[in-house]
Amino acid sequence: MITTGEQHPWATHELSFGEASYWAQHDAGDDVFYTDAQVADRAKARPVVVVAVNGGPESVTATALKAAHSRAGALLIVCGDPQRINSVLGAGV
């Protein structure tokens, strides 16, 4: 799960154990992984990727959507204000 604005509370919790532990959880690939859009490019592909468009600049949202699209193996889910998402994508979704 990628957030474009405020970080998901679970990501904050996991980061409280340190960056090494946080990214080790990601690398294990056996659980849901929550990350911020600003570091989403570091995340590996997953069968399902969810993007929560919950704030942040449009440039961050655009980058997050591009990264999510390239990493979603079977399904990409985008949650948020449809007008904002359409504006960032430049298309009707």
Side-chain angles (χ1 to χ4, degrees):
M1 173 172 227
I2 301 170
T3 55
T4 63
E6 186 175 332
Q7 197 166 53
H8 190 280
W10 193 252
T12 303
H13 168 77
E14 290 297 327
L15 280 165
S16 72
F17 298 105
E19 287 276 331
S21 175
Y22 174 73
W23 287 105
Q25 177 197 15
H26 167 268
D27 294 341
D30 58 359
D31 200 355
V32 175
F33 185 75
Y34 299 87
T35 192
D36 182 87
Q38 295 181 13
V39 295
D41 60 337
R42 184 172 170 184
K44 295 178 184 172
R46 298 282 178 131
V48 177
V49 176
V50 177
V51 179
V53 179
N54 64 334
E58 286 193 5
S59 61
V60 170
T61 299
T63 300
L65 291 171
K66 182 179 177 182
H69 185 259
S70 71
R71 286 167 178 76
L75 183 62
L76 171 61
I77 300 168
V78 180
C79 306
D81 176 19
Q83 289 180 330
R84 179 154 191 236
I85 294 165
N86 286 340
S87 172
V88 170
L89 293 176
V93 176

